[in-house]
Amino acid sequence: MNPKHDANTQTALDMADARESTSVDVRAVCVFLHHGNENWVRRRNIVDILSQDRVFDKAKREYLSRTERYNRIQAITNRIYELAEQHQWDRADLNTAVASIDEQLPIGLHNIAFEPVFNLQASPELTSKYGRLIETRGIIGCYLQTELGHGTNVQALETTATYIPDTREFEIHSPTLTSSKWWIGALGKMATHGVVQARLILPGGKDAGPHLFFVQLRSLEDHRVVPNITIGDIGPKAMGGAAPLDNGFARFNRVRIPKENMLSKFAKVTDEGKYIKPPHAKLSYGGMLYIRSSMVTSAGWQTAKAATVSIRYATVRRQGNPDASGLERQIITYPSVYYRLIPILSHAYVLIQLGRSLTKAFDTMAERLSSGDASLLAELHATTSGLKILCTTMSVNDIEVARRSMGGHGYSAYAGLGRVYADYVASVTYEGDNFVLDQQVVRSALKSHQKLQSDARSSSSEAVIASLSPSSAYLHVLLSNSRPTTLPSSWRDPEASVSLLEWRAALLVNEHAGNVAEITNSGGDVESSIDAIVNQRIAKGVTEAFVARRVLEIMRDVVPQQISCNGTQEVLGKLYLLHLLTTVESALTDILSFNLLPPPPLSSSSFPQDPSRSLRLEINTLCKELLPHAIGLTDSFGFTDWELDSALGVYDGKVYQALWERVQTEPLNQKEVPDAYEQSIKPILERGQRLAGVRGDAKL
Amino acid sequence: MNPKHDANTQTALDMADARESTSVDVRAVCVFLHHGNENWVRRRNIVDILSQDRVFDKAKREYLSRTERYNRIQAITNRIYELAEQHQWDRADLNTAVASIDEQLPIGLHNIAFEPVFNLQASPELTSKYGRLIETRGIIGCYLQTELGHGTNVQALETTATYIPDTREFEIHSPTLTSSKWWIGALGKMATHGVVQARLILPGGKDAGPHLFFVQLRSLEDHRVVPNITIGDIGPKAMGGAAPLDNGFARFNRVRIPKENMLSKFAKVTDEGKYIKPPHAKLSYGGMLYIRSSMVTSAGWQTAKAATVSIRYATVRRQGNPDASGLERQIITYPSVYYRLIPILSHAYVLIQLGRSLTKAFDTMAERLSSGDASLLAELHATTSGLKILCTTMSVNDIEVARRSMGGHGYSAYAGLGRVYADYVASVTYEGDNFVLDQQVVRSALKSHQKLQSDARSSSSEAVIASLSPSSAYLHVLLSNSRPTTLPSSWRDPEASVSLLEWRAALLVNEHAGNVAEITNSGGDVESSIDAIVNQRIAKGVTEAFVARRVLEIMRDVVPQQISCNGTQEVLGKLYLLHLLTTVESALTDILSFNLLPPPPLSSSSFPQDPSRSLRLEINTLCKELLPHAIGLTDSFGFTDWELDSALGVYDGKVYQALWERVQTEPLNQKEVPDAYEQSIKPILERGQRLAGVRGDAKL
């Protein structure tokens, strides 16, 4: 150890060096990630305004109670709309402002759940009455679907809306404790109105299943709860997650609402109580698809945050053996560290682009849907289900891997990633539990497989392949004559990975379809004759093949179009390739099971050789080639210190100084002797001294 | 839906039915898990005493600030010692009481780190002065090793202890910010004394590396910090974890301590300042091995908690398609649920037994060590490193899998598992970061492999195999002539799994040894010529082979000895077998890479068949056979509702009632209109109404 070496000052030098070492044009990549210079500049301006406003200060939030966090988040919300008026922000600006707050705002549920559902399904009459107020947040809404006893199985929701022809009213009722609406964001303390999922009961008792009803929840005079409704907050979340969000419960005791309050753009009830079916059974899925599409983008940015914080810390943290400079090594140079972090960086880049194309696809679909054309719905549904599972599972996992890669200090709240995990982990459950959604992906894959087989009987392979939609394109390999029977000549060719992932998906689906047919034909029960994780494997395989094809498009088309600098193009190419290779690596069990990677020729050793070795070596090489660009590629996300709020992820690299300063604000440190001393610690010590036969004032 | 069906009352019926359905003798298994009836009864009595004492009430703790949590935990600590005196608890009873508190007590660090290190390494003189006081907690200690800038690399710690012959003192000093001791449990607010790791600087400036020094930190008069030391709490932890633990920091400004305060049982300094080496370099490892050994047991009980809560909830939660009774299915009957939960149950059973045998091994080693015999140290070190990694990684993962398996309600703090995760996740980092420890396991494996090769040149295979220690026993396959080249005739034979796992470990090590030799011989750098996760794969492989052999012993020897009922024996046999089979499943990439599972004969299909299919089907069958016993096997852990503190894991199954009751205590629900209304929500609404051109008192 160099005695003059000061680790606390070295950090800034290390960060500056790392910033020097990249050939990436950080500004160009930043613009690429933010989809254009104008977006980026607007975003930067908004973040500057917020971060300089003391309402948005984060210094003490770790120490606040949930009620204080709630007061704070509502003050933030109010201030955002105040600033929006002041700066004349448009809707996109407002969304940017809300998205830049690293906490869930109760108003968010109004924006992403209540308003879209209302707009998609309310009748013109209801819209003319409330549409503008909803838009300006003159009323604030929530979307009441999940119940204490039912989440996944919407068909079994217990809340009822009974039509009463005499008064032309619906009576909303919670018949049981378990029918209490539960987990509803913004319901607990904020929302004045809500859209309630309830079983429509027609005169005579006929149950028409769940429909949507617009219900006032709180008075606009004094915010008190409307009579005959019981409303409250459902309490703290696991790991302190989503603390400032007032997820709530509601019980309805025969609450009457006018008939017009049914969201009746599609399904309707006549004055007499006759039910009129919607023109298309799945028209109401629009809102859900919107949320799922946007989840891909947010998964990308959450992952980006985790990558930025962890890669910055791993760049300035030194530990272990000396490097060429004689100092301990930067921990990012250890294989066990960079092998965890560089792939996370690649995931962020993939998810952000994927989210972009998905949002576009949703907009196209929604436009057609509004003119009654539902032709794009099924494909988008298939795509978003699989992507919702894959992206949330991957992102949640990455955040925690990144946090743990930071060792001991990663477990400090000041590191910031624990908070990101706690807030974000629920995404694997909400909007369709990932383990339940898997079945939908498999169902859709089996349908495509069946269609492929029947089409292949009547049409040429080329015609069948040309007719495949993007979500089932991987099935093309089943009709081709080629098979990957040798190790790829070069893992640098992204086609090799895409092909392996497509073969793997297709063979998984093909084998499953065969098994299902065999079991069904012999009168067996599929579920009990098949292995228990087949749905997870297939959903993962199918979605990874879809993503791999998209990544190839990004590498071949998007990057060259949008990035002019060759050096930057090359680095991005490697980053996207790394995503493909690590996906293949994580799929090795399937790939080897189907014998898609044959073992290399026997060497002098008498034992079999590992055929995955060349892949793993290539991943290692690629990671090392990307290492000098890691800081540049994370800087390109464009996060400010205010956005990250992480002592370990500070831009200037001075992590120890930042930790030291944060620690001084801990409430326990405001007193030298804690309150617990007189009450408890002193009695413990005195008891011990008595038992040891020592007087307290002895020469200890 | 049966209109008379009430999900809230059904839960208790479902739980009672599940309790009826097992053939397991719950009491016998409980005694087995608690290592004897006497242990179990004593434990039960202690838990009864604590849970009926209002100091230990948990009803409101989710709502407390960290300072309040700290005051509460110290009151709990004081009460435990008060009760101990009152009930005349011995040390084992006290440990039981402390272990039954589901929070980390600051005093815990005194018990498991400070006291053992002191006892192992203090000189007789220091022991005679402080030993009894430490035992009775007349002084309270902490163990100061980690620094702000250094954790893993103990050799690079910066704190110095300079010997001053004139006064026969050491001067303890923190030369830099990064040399501040950091993360030290109980240091922040409680400890009066500490054992400090500091570089021993001899007269003339010679640096003898890190040694241990006993230092007073706070006055025993008034608990104020000793002059020239700066002490504080390091702030909140990620996800609210370990909230009541005062992990602290300390900076020393040339603090003098008498020479006797060096822990000098092994290494010493003479009065003149001459250094006397310890007789064995690794004698000081004892304390670390003790902590790592005990971590296996605690991983087992943490996993047991997660299994109990999640299996109980999955038993009473109904969702989806109707079952034979016409009600929605219990979610535990879905493959995607039981496939996640039953293996977790098996892990808990394995870890608890494994921990037991490890504790015994430690006691034997410690006994020999105290008489200067260090022969068992290396083997225990090899074993505990690998097990520490495997058990903490597995348990942490299982807790989160269990929580997520509970869907939406699993994300409620009232579910209880989020808290367990947040508290326990740090175990993958402390006592040796798992990703760093991997290297030690690999190093030890390579050494054993080398010894095997050289021994095999001079001795018979039988003799070499007989000489292998348990931690390297798996290497025996390399000397045998047989190889697994066919699918096991039956996965029910546990030997098949053990053999596959031993082959996999041995081939991983063998290939790695070959690669390392090749690279070294050609003058290359091993780290940069090898793939980045090879250490992780090998450490996992080697440890899983070790554990598999132990599981086989438990199945063949321990269970038949300790469980008399045949039906119970059979169920436990299946549970342990499930552990083996799921371990093989998780190792499939390696197993397939080495061609250890050949593909089945080609069927009519033209595509290759998955050779792992029979394994996966067997796992599914085994899970289903274990399902009727799942509640019995979790009841056998013997947790009370007070211990679990989970609304979803209540013994009587009434989860909805429990959630409803907990929610009423949420502080936000104590006011109908939240404080945030006047300050923020009302302005938002009024602004919106103004923008929409609607007056607040209009007919909304």
Side-chain angles (χ1 to χ4, degrees), chain A residues 150 189 238 328 339 400 411 421-422 533 589 671, chain B residues 150 189 238 328 339 400 411 421-422 533 589 671:
Chain A
H150 286 96
K189 294 286 148 185
E328 289 178 277
Y339 173 78
E400 183 63 351
Y411 189 53
Y421 182 79
I533 56 154
T589 297
K671 286 186 180 178
Chain B
H150 286 96
K189 293 287 148 184
E328 288 177 278
Y339 172 77
E400 184 63 350
Y411 189 53
Y421 182 79
I533 55 156
T589 297
K671 284 185 179 178

PDB file of all heavy atoms in Angstrom, chain A residues 150 189 238 328 339 400 411 421-422 533 589 671, chain B residues 150 189 238 328 339 400 411 421-422 533 589 671:
ATOM      1  N   HIS A 150     -60.031 -11.917  -4.938  1.00  0.00           N
ATOM      2  CA  HIS A 150     -59.817 -12.241  -6.343  1.00  0.00           C
ATOM      3  C   HIS A 150     -58.949 -11.235  -7.058  1.00  0.00           C
ATOM      4  O   HIS A 150     -59.209 -10.029  -7.001  1.00  0.00           O
ATOM      5  CB  HIS A 150     -61.156 -12.346  -7.084  1.00  0.00           C
ATOM      6  CG  HIS A 150     -61.887 -13.582  -6.739  1.00  0.00           C
ATOM      7  ND1 HIS A 150     -62.866 -13.606  -5.774  1.00  0.00           N
ATOM      8  CD2 HIS A 150     -61.739 -14.856  -7.184  1.00  0.00           C
ATOM      9  CE1 HIS A 150     -63.303 -14.853  -5.643  1.00  0.00           C
ATOM     10  NE2 HIS A 150     -62.646 -15.623  -6.479  1.00  0.00           N
ATOM     11  N   LYS A 189     -56.754   7.338  -0.100  1.00  0.00           N
ATOM     12  CA  LYS A 189     -56.888   8.676   0.465  1.00  0.00           C
ATOM     13  C   LYS A 189     -57.120   9.768  -0.566  1.00  0.00           C
ATOM     14  O   LYS A 189     -57.482  10.885  -0.193  1.00  0.00           O
ATOM     15  CB  LYS A 189     -55.609   9.015   1.265  1.00  0.00           C
ATOM     16  CG  LYS A 189     -55.414   8.157   2.500  1.00  0.00           C
ATOM     17  CD  LYS A 189     -56.380   8.556   3.601  1.00  0.00           C
ATOM     18  CE  LYS A 189     -56.804   7.387   4.475  1.00  0.00           C
ATOM     19  NZ  LYS A 189     -57.826   7.774   5.462  1.00  0.00           N
ATOM     20  N   ALA A 238     -44.416  -4.596   1.327  1.00  0.00           N
ATOM     21  CA  ALA A 238     -43.207  -5.352   1.651  1.00  0.00           C
ATOM     22  C   ALA A 238     -41.969  -4.504   1.396  1.00  0.00           C
ATOM     23  O   ALA A 238     -41.912  -3.758   0.414  1.00  0.00           O
ATOM     24  CB  ALA A 238     -43.145  -6.619   0.804  1.00  0.00           C
ATOM     25  N   GLU A 328      -4.866  -1.135  -5.365  1.00  0.00           N
ATOM     26  CA  GLU A 328      -5.769  -2.277  -5.443  1.00  0.00           C
ATOM     27  C   GLU A 328      -6.612  -2.155  -6.711  1.00  0.00           C
ATOM     28  O   GLU A 328      -6.852  -1.064  -7.210  1.00  0.00           O
ATOM     29  CB  GLU A 328      -6.690  -2.279  -4.219  1.00  0.00           C
ATOM     30  CG  GLU A 328      -5.980  -2.650  -2.931  1.00  0.00           C
ATOM     31  CD  GLU A 328      -6.947  -2.582  -1.762  1.00  0.00           C
ATOM     32  OE1 GLU A 328      -7.165  -1.470  -1.234  1.00  0.00           O
ATOM     33  OE2 GLU A 328      -7.501  -3.614  -1.401  1.00  0.00           O
ATOM     34  N   TYR A 339     -18.924  -9.563 -15.210  1.00  0.00           N
ATOM     35  CA  TYR A 339     -19.831 -10.540 -15.816  1.00  0.00           C
ATOM     36  C   TYR A 339     -21.267 -10.357 -15.315  1.00  0.00           C
ATOM     37  O   TYR A 339     -22.223 -10.720 -15.975  1.00  0.00           O
ATOM     38  CB  TYR A 339     -19.354 -11.959 -15.514  1.00  0.00           C
ATOM     39  CG  TYR A 339     -20.329 -13.007 -15.953  1.00  0.00           C
ATOM     40  CD1 TYR A 339     -20.427 -13.376 -17.293  1.00  0.00           C
ATOM     41  CD2 TYR A 339     -21.189 -13.616 -15.041  1.00  0.00           C
ATOM     42  CE1 TYR A 339     -21.343 -14.323 -17.702  1.00  0.00           C
ATOM     43  CE2 TYR A 339     -22.106 -14.569 -15.444  1.00  0.00           C
ATOM     44  CZ  TYR A 339     -22.175 -14.911 -16.775  1.00  0.00           C
ATOM     45  OH  TYR A 339     -23.093 -15.840 -17.176  1.00  0.00           O
ATOM     46  N   GLU A 400     -31.540  -6.249  -8.425  1.00  0.00           N
ATOM     47  CA  GLU A 400     -31.021  -6.884  -7.214  1.00  0.00           C
ATOM     48  C   GLU A 400     -29.603  -7.417  -7.434  1.00  0.00           C
ATOM     49  O   GLU A 400     -28.752  -7.319  -6.545  1.00  0.00           O
ATOM     50  CB  GLU A 400     -31.998  -7.984  -6.773  1.00  0.00           C
ATOM     51  CG  GLU A 400     -31.671  -8.711  -5.486  1.00  0.00           C
ATOM     52  CD  GLU A 400     -31.662  -7.863  -4.215  1.00  0.00           C
ATOM     53  OE1 GLU A 400     -31.738  -6.638  -4.285  1.00  0.00           O
ATOM     54  OE2 GLU A 400     -31.525  -8.461  -3.125  1.00  0.00           O
ATOM     55  N   TYR A 411     -25.968  -2.612   0.527  1.00  0.00           N
ATOM     56  CA  TYR A 411     -27.068  -2.860   1.474  1.00  0.00           C
ATOM     57  C   TYR A 411     -27.426  -1.596   2.258  1.00  0.00           C
ATOM     58  O   TYR A 411     -28.367  -1.592   3.045  1.00  0.00           O
ATOM     59  CB  TYR A 411     -26.673  -3.998   2.419  1.00  0.00           C
ATOM     60  CG  TYR A 411     -27.763  -4.520   3.323  1.00  0.00           C
ATOM     61  CD1 TYR A 411     -28.991  -4.943   2.808  1.00  0.00           C
ATOM     62  CD2 TYR A 411     -27.573  -4.623   4.695  1.00  0.00           C
ATOM     63  CE1 TYR A 411     -29.990  -5.437   3.637  1.00  0.00           C
ATOM     64  CE2 TYR A 411     -28.563  -5.124   5.544  1.00  0.00           C
ATOM     65  CZ  TYR A 411     -29.766  -5.527   5.003  1.00  0.00           C
ATOM     66  OH  TYR A 411     -30.756  -6.019   5.825  1.00  0.00           O
ATOM     67  N   TYR A 421     -35.597  -1.549  -6.026  1.00  0.00           N
ATOM     68  CA  TYR A 421     -36.103  -2.927  -6.015  1.00  0.00           C
ATOM     69  C   TYR A 421     -37.447  -3.018  -5.299  1.00  0.00           C
ATOM     70  O   TYR A 421     -38.405  -3.577  -5.816  1.00  0.00           O
ATOM     71  CB  TYR A 421     -35.088  -3.846  -5.339  1.00  0.00           C
ATOM     72  CG  TYR A 421     -35.491  -5.302  -5.322  1.00  0.00           C
ATOM     73  CD1 TYR A 421     -35.331  -6.097  -6.453  1.00  0.00           C
ATOM     74  CD2 TYR A 421     -36.046  -5.885  -4.189  1.00  0.00           C
ATOM     75  CE1 TYR A 421     -35.705  -7.426  -6.453  1.00  0.00           C
ATOM     76  CE2 TYR A 421     -36.425  -7.218  -4.181  1.00  0.00           C
ATOM     77  CZ  TYR A 421     -36.249  -7.983  -5.309  1.00  0.00           C
ATOM     78  OH  TYR A 421     -36.630  -9.300  -5.299  1.00  0.00           O
ATOM     79  N   ALA A 422     -37.500  -2.462  -4.094  1.00  0.00           N
ATOM     80  CA  ALA A 422     -38.715  -2.574  -3.287  1.00  0.00           C
ATOM     81  C   ALA A 422     -39.917  -1.961  -4.011  1.00  0.00           C
ATOM     82  O   ALA A 422     -41.023  -2.489  -3.966  1.00  0.00           O
ATOM     83  CB  ALA A 422     -38.508  -1.898  -1.932  1.00  0.00           C
ATOM     84  N   ILE A 533     -42.961 -27.091 -15.037  1.00  0.00           N
ATOM     85  CA  ILE A 533     -42.495 -25.761 -15.444  1.00  0.00           C
ATOM     86  C   ILE A 533     -42.486 -25.584 -16.951  1.00  0.00           C
ATOM     87  O   ILE A 533     -41.858 -24.671 -17.473  1.00  0.00           O
ATOM     88  CB  ILE A 533     -41.089 -25.429 -14.894  1.00  0.00           C
ATOM     89  CG1 ILE A 533     -40.071 -26.491 -15.306  1.00  0.00           C
ATOM     90  CG2 ILE A 533     -41.087 -25.196 -13.420  1.00  0.00           C
ATOM     91  CD1 ILE A 533     -38.665 -25.916 -15.349  1.00  0.00           C
ATOM     92  N   THR A 589     -29.609 -24.913 -21.095  1.00  0.00           N
ATOM     93  CA  THR A 589     -30.233 -26.188 -20.736  1.00  0.00           C
ATOM     94  C   THR A 589     -31.142 -26.660 -21.865  1.00  0.00           C
ATOM     95  O   THR A 589     -31.076 -27.823 -22.296  1.00  0.00           O
ATOM     96  CB  THR A 589     -31.035 -26.047 -19.426  1.00  0.00           C
ATOM     97  OG1 THR A 589     -30.146 -25.716 -18.372  1.00  0.00           O
ATOM     98  CG2 THR A 589     -31.742 -27.345 -19.083  1.00  0.00           C
ATOM     99  N   LYS A 671     -28.140  12.534  18.573  1.00  0.00           N
ATOM    100  CA  LYS A 671     -27.856  12.486  20.014  1.00  0.00           C
ATOM    101  C   LYS A 671     -26.681  11.551  20.262  1.00  0.00           C
ATOM    102  O   LYS A 671     -26.676  10.432  19.754  1.00  0.00           O
ATOM    103  CB  LYS A 671     -29.072  11.927  20.775  1.00  0.00           C
ATOM    104  CG  LYS A 671     -30.237  12.872  20.912  1.00  0.00           C
ATOM    105  CD  LYS A 671     -31.302  12.244  21.796  1.00  0.00           C
ATOM    106  CE  LYS A 671     -32.488  13.180  21.947  1.00  0.00           C
ATOM    107  NZ  LYS A 671     -33.564  12.576  22.772  1.00  0.00           N
TER     108      LYS A 671
ATOM    109  N   HIS B 150     -12.621  -0.705   2.945  1.00  0.00           N
ATOM    110  CA  HIS B 150     -12.170  -2.082   2.811  1.00  0.00           C
ATOM    111  C   HIS B 150     -13.042  -3.072   3.543  1.00  0.00           C
ATOM    112  O   HIS B 150     -13.297  -2.907   4.738  1.00  0.00           O
ATOM    113  CB  HIS B 150     -10.728  -2.237   3.312  1.00  0.00           C
ATOM    114  CG  HIS B 150      -9.747  -1.660   2.367  1.00  0.00           C
ATOM    115  ND1 HIS B 150      -9.249  -0.389   2.518  1.00  0.00           N
ATOM    116  CD2 HIS B 150      -9.205  -2.147   1.217  1.00  0.00           C
ATOM    117  CE1 HIS B 150      -8.427  -0.122   1.514  1.00  0.00           C
ATOM    118  NE2 HIS B 150      -8.383  -1.153   0.717  1.00  0.00           N
ATOM    119  N   LYS B 189     -24.660   2.760  18.684  1.00  0.00           N
ATOM    120  CA  LYS B 189     -25.280   3.360  19.860  1.00  0.00           C
ATOM    121  C   LYS B 189     -25.144   2.524  21.124  1.00  0.00           C
ATOM    122  O   LYS B 189     -25.402   3.014  22.211  1.00  0.00           O
ATOM    123  CB  LYS B 189     -26.778   3.591  19.568  1.00  0.00           C
ATOM    124  CG  LYS B 189     -27.040   4.646  18.492  1.00  0.00           C
ATOM    125  CD  LYS B 189     -26.763   6.040  19.029  1.00  0.00           C
ATOM    126  CE  LYS B 189     -26.265   6.983  17.967  1.00  0.00           C
ATOM    127  NZ  LYS B 189     -25.919   8.307  18.519  1.00  0.00           N
ATOM    128  N   ALA B 238     -30.936  -0.976   3.084  1.00  0.00           N
ATOM    129  CA  ALA B 238     -31.786  -1.162   1.909  1.00  0.00           C
ATOM    130  C   ALA B 238     -33.076  -1.885   2.290  1.00  0.00           C
ATOM    131  O   ALA B 238     -33.062  -2.788   3.117  1.00  0.00           O
ATOM    132  CB  ALA B 238     -31.037  -1.976   0.859  1.00  0.00           C
ATOM    133  N   GLU B 328     -63.484 -22.625  -6.672  1.00  0.00           N
ATOM    134  CA  GLU B 328     -62.248 -22.349  -7.389  1.00  0.00           C
ATOM    135  C   GLU B 328     -61.126 -23.182  -6.766  1.00  0.00           C
ATOM    136  O   GLU B 328     -61.178 -23.519  -5.591  1.00  0.00           O
ATOM    137  CB  GLU B 328     -61.902 -20.857  -7.278  1.00  0.00           C
ATOM    138  CG  GLU B 328     -62.810 -19.957  -8.090  1.00  0.00           C
ATOM    139  CD  GLU B 328     -62.436 -18.495  -7.871  1.00  0.00           C
ATOM    140  OE1 GLU B 328     -62.884 -17.921  -6.847  1.00  0.00           O
ATOM    141  OE2 GLU B 328     -61.700 -17.949  -8.692  1.00  0.00           O
ATOM    142  N   TYR B 339     -44.746 -26.266  -7.786  1.00  0.00           N
ATOM    143  CA  TYR B 339     -43.385 -26.491  -8.257  1.00  0.00           C
ATOM    144  C   TYR B 339     -42.411 -25.472  -7.652  1.00  0.00           C
ATOM    145  O   TYR B 339     -41.220 -25.709  -7.544  1.00  0.00           O
ATOM    146  CB  TYR B 339     -43.331 -26.428  -9.783  1.00  0.00           C
ATOM    147  CG  TYR B 339     -41.935 -26.467 -10.330  1.00  0.00           C
ATOM    148  CD1 TYR B 339     -41.233 -27.665 -10.395  1.00  0.00           C
ATOM    149  CD2 TYR B 339     -41.290 -25.306 -10.739  1.00  0.00           C
ATOM    150  CE1 TYR B 339     -39.939 -27.703 -10.873  1.00  0.00           C
ATOM    151  CE2 TYR B 339     -39.994 -25.330 -11.215  1.00  0.00           C
ATOM    152  CZ  TYR B 339     -39.323 -26.533 -11.278  1.00  0.00           C
ATOM    153  OH  TYR B 339     -38.036 -26.574 -11.739  1.00  0.00           O
ATOM    154  N   GLU B 400     -37.760 -15.021  -1.386  1.00  0.00           N
ATOM    155  CA  GLU B 400     -38.375 -14.127  -2.356  1.00  0.00           C
ATOM    156  C   GLU B 400     -39.292 -14.898  -3.314  1.00  0.00           C
ATOM    157  O   GLU B 400     -40.363 -14.408  -3.687  1.00  0.00           O
ATOM    158  CB  GLU B 400     -37.272 -13.347  -3.099  1.00  0.00           C
ATOM    159  CG  GLU B 400     -37.720 -12.301  -4.084  1.00  0.00           C
ATOM    160  CD  GLU B 400     -38.506 -11.130  -3.529  1.00  0.00           C
ATOM    161  OE1 GLU B 400     -38.912 -11.145  -2.347  1.00  0.00           O
ATOM    162  OE2 GLU B 400     -38.754 -10.184  -4.307  1.00  0.00           O
ATOM    163  N   TYR B 411     -47.103  -8.921  -1.538  1.00  0.00           N
ATOM    164  CA  TYR B 411     -46.399  -7.629  -1.524  1.00  0.00           C
ATOM    165  C   TYR B 411     -46.873  -6.745  -0.374  1.00  0.00           C
ATOM    166  O   TYR B 411     -46.338  -5.662  -0.148  1.00  0.00           O
ATOM    167  CB  TYR B 411     -46.624  -6.932  -2.873  1.00  0.00           C
ATOM    168  CG  TYR B 411     -45.805  -5.677  -3.120  1.00  0.00           C
ATOM    169  CD1 TYR B 411     -44.414  -5.679  -2.991  1.00  0.00           C
ATOM    170  CD2 TYR B 411     -46.420  -4.484  -3.494  1.00  0.00           C
ATOM    171  CE1 TYR B 411     -43.673  -4.534  -3.225  1.00  0.00           C
ATOM    172  CE2 TYR B 411     -45.684  -3.326  -3.744  1.00  0.00           C
ATOM    173  CZ  TYR B 411     -44.305  -3.354  -3.611  1.00  0.00           C
ATOM    174  OH  TYR B 411     -43.566  -2.220  -3.853  1.00  0.00           O
ATOM    175  N   TYR B 421     -37.004 -11.141   3.983  1.00  0.00           N
ATOM    176  CA  TYR B 421     -36.046 -10.957   2.894  1.00  0.00           C
ATOM    177  C   TYR B 421     -35.128  -9.775   3.166  1.00  0.00           C
ATOM    178  O   TYR B 421     -33.905  -9.883   3.076  1.00  0.00           O
ATOM    179  CB  TYR B 421     -36.792 -10.750   1.570  1.00  0.00           C
ATOM    180  CG  TYR B 421     -35.875 -10.594   0.372  1.00  0.00           C
ATOM    181  CD1 TYR B 421     -35.293 -11.707  -0.221  1.00  0.00           C
ATOM    182  CD2 TYR B 421     -35.576  -9.345  -0.157  1.00  0.00           C
ATOM    183  CE1 TYR B 421     -34.455 -11.582  -1.311  1.00  0.00           C
ATOM    184  CE2 TYR B 421     -34.738  -9.206  -1.246  1.00  0.00           C
ATOM    185  CZ  TYR B 421     -34.172 -10.325  -1.820  1.00  0.00           C
ATOM    186  OH  TYR B 421     -33.326 -10.203  -2.892  1.00  0.00           O
ATOM    187  N   ALA B 422     -35.730  -8.632   3.486  1.00  0.00           N
ATOM    188  CA  ALA B 422     -34.940  -7.413   3.687  1.00  0.00           C
ATOM    189  C   ALA B 422     -33.911  -7.596   4.797  1.00  0.00           C
ATOM    190  O   ALA B 422     -32.779  -7.124   4.698  1.00  0.00           O
ATOM    191  CB  ALA B 422     -35.858  -6.236   4.007  1.00  0.00           C
ATOM    192  N   ILE B 533     -17.538 -16.952 -15.391  1.00  0.00           N
ATOM    193  CA  ILE B 533     -18.303 -17.485 -14.260  1.00  0.00           C
ATOM    194  C   ILE B 533     -17.837 -18.869 -13.852  1.00  0.00           C
ATOM    195  O   ILE B 533     -18.532 -19.598 -13.146  1.00  0.00           O
ATOM    196  CB  ILE B 533     -19.818 -17.536 -14.526  1.00  0.00           C
ATOM    197  CG1 ILE B 533     -20.116 -18.315 -15.811  1.00  0.00           C
ATOM    198  CG2 ILE B 533     -20.436 -16.177 -14.539  1.00  0.00           C
ATOM    199  CD1 ILE B 533     -21.526 -18.881 -15.773  1.00  0.00           C
ATOM    200  N   THR B 589     -27.569 -27.719 -17.124  1.00  0.00           N
ATOM    201  CA  THR B 589     -26.656 -27.165 -18.130  1.00  0.00           C
ATOM    202  C   THR B 589     -25.308 -27.855 -18.055  1.00  0.00           C
ATOM    203  O   THR B 589     -24.764 -28.299 -19.075  1.00  0.00           O
ATOM    204  CB  THR B 589     -26.488 -25.647 -17.925  1.00  0.00           C
ATOM    205  OG1 THR B 589     -27.760 -25.023 -18.114  1.00  0.00           O
ATOM    206  CG2 THR B 589     -25.515 -25.064 -18.941  1.00  0.00           C
ATOM    207  N   LYS B 671     -57.626   8.763  10.141  1.00  0.00           N
ATOM    208  CA  LYS B 671     -58.351   9.981   9.769  1.00  0.00           C
ATOM    209  C   LYS B 671     -59.077   9.741   8.447  1.00  0.00           C
ATOM    210  O   LYS B 671     -58.468   9.238   7.499  1.00  0.00           O
ATOM    211  CB  LYS B 671     -57.369  11.137   9.546  1.00  0.00           C
ATOM    212  CG  LYS B 671     -56.806  11.747  10.804  1.00  0.00           C
ATOM    213  CD  LYS B 671     -55.951  12.964  10.453  1.00  0.00           C
ATOM    214  CE  LYS B 671     -55.390  13.608  11.725  1.00  0.00           C
ATOM    215  NZ  LYS B 671     -54.521  14.748  11.392  1.00  0.00           N
TER     216      LYS B 671
END
